[in-house]
Amino acid sequence: QVQLVESGGGLVQAGGSLRLSCAASGIIYRINVMGWYRQAPGKQRELVGVITRGGTTNYADSVKGRFTISRDNAENTLYLQMNSLKPEDTAVYYCNVVAGPYTYWGHGTQVTVSS
């Protein structure tokens, strides 16, 4: 059974930092791309950043220079280091994994940034 377990969300003041983790298990195919997406209330889900198996990253313009995505291929774990957080970063953050022909989503973790 495939599981993506996200952790690390919470409430933080503007300017603060949080680190999200996503542990993937039960996936048979080799994991290729892993990424983070977010969805704020009343808005569509949007890309935060993705990372390939080889470590190539791509970020949304809104988080460049503030967020860093990384992964541990041996542990099938994805991370998102979020610095200089802003109130507009408030959203539910979702882990996304592409493995073989399949795409998997986590259940999300809430990040709330107070002003």
Side-chain angles (χ1 to χ4, degrees), residues 53-115:
R53 188 171 185 84
T56 300
T57 56
N58 187 36
Y59 297 96
D61 287 343
S62 59
V63 306
K64 281 180 181 176
R66 299 188 298 122
F67 291 9
T68 302
I69 194 168
S70 60
R71 63 189 280 177
D72 183 332
N73 289 331
E75 298 293 331
N76 285 342
T77 302
L78 176 69
Y79 303 98
L80 182 66
Q81 178 66 45
M82 303 185 293
N83 299 328
S84 302
L85 282 160
K86 305 175 181 180
E88 50 264 43
D89 295 317
T90 295
V92 177
Y93 284 69
Y94 296 91
C95 174
N96 174 274
V97 169
V98 178
Y102 301 105
T103 298
Y104 303 99
W105 290 93
H107 293 294
T109 184
Q110 177 70 46
V111 172
T112 303
V113 184
S114 62
S115 57

Side-chain angles (χ1 to χ4, degrees), residues 4-9 18-24 36 77-81 93 95 109:
L4 299 183
V5 179
E6 296 127 328
S7 60
L18 282 175
R19 188 184 193 223
L20 305 184
S21 299
C22 172
W36 291 99
T77 302
L78 176 69
Y79 303 98
L80 182 66
Q81 178 66 45
Y93 284 69
C95 174
T109 184

Side-chain angles (χ1 to χ4, degrees), residues 25-41:
S25 62
I27 298 177
I28 296 174
Y29 288 92
R30 189 177 79 165
I31 294 176
N32 296 318
V33 178
M34 304 180 83
W36 291 99
Y37 291 72
R38 67 186 182 186
Q39 187 166 16

